[in-house]
Amino acid sequence: MTDEDGKESEITGIDRDDWHGLSESCPECGSHEFDHFEVNGGHYGKHEETVIKRTDYWSGTRPLFTRCKSCNEILFKHPAFELLFDLEDDNDAVIEM
C-alpha cells in the first residue's frame, strides 16, 4: 500500500488457529466480550416506492476485525481493515470502538 506521500507499507491479516469465532472465549484471557467489525452486502430492490433488502436473494456478511475488549488481543483482522482504519505498529487499533 502507498500513502499520499509515497510512503509504502505492508498490509497484513491475522487469522489465529486457536480462535474460531465469536462463540469462543478469547484464547489469551478467557473473556467473551469483543469489539467486532463486519461488512454486510446483499441484493437490494424496490417494492412500490420503498427500497428493500431482498432476503429471498443472495446476501452475505464477512468479518473484518475482532479484538478482545478485556486484553485488547486482536483475534481476527482482514487485510482490508488497514485500508479503512489506521493501526499502530503494535497492532492496537487507533480507532475508538
Side-chain angles (χ1 to χ4, degrees):
M1 175 174 87
T2 305
D3 67 12
E4 60 274 357
D5 297 328
K7 179 183 174 194
E8 290 187 18
S9 59
E10 183 178 341
I11 58 173
T12 59
I14 296 172
D15 192 5
R16 294 177 56 133
D17 290 335
D18 61 349
W19 187 76
H20 303 289
L22 298 171
S23 62
E24 293 190 3
S25 61
C26 173
E28 298 297 321
C29 72
S31 175
H32 288 92
E33 299 287 327
F34 307 102
D35 291 319
H36 181 73
F37 280 78
E38 61 188 22
V39 293
N40 187 338
H43 181 100
Y44 290 80
K46 198 170 187 181
H47 178 72
E48 297 174 1
E49 295 301 315
T50 305
V51 176
I52 59 169
K53 182 175 183 179
R54 300 286 305 269
T55 58
D56 56 334
Y57 284 92
W58 168 87
S59 65
T61 301
R62 188 128 199 190
L64 281 181
F65 181 85
T66 305
R67 178 176 64 190
C68 177
K69 288 188 74 67
S70 296
C71 69
N72 286 329
E73 182 73 19
I74 296 175
L75 303 172
F76 179 82
K77 178 174 65 85
H78 190 284
F81 188 79
E82 290 183 35
L83 300 174
L84 301 171
F85 300 97
D86 291 330
L87 294 176
E88 295 176 341
D89 292 340
D90 63 359
N91 282 338
D92 288 338
V94 174
I95 58 172
E96 287 294 321
M97 291 189 259

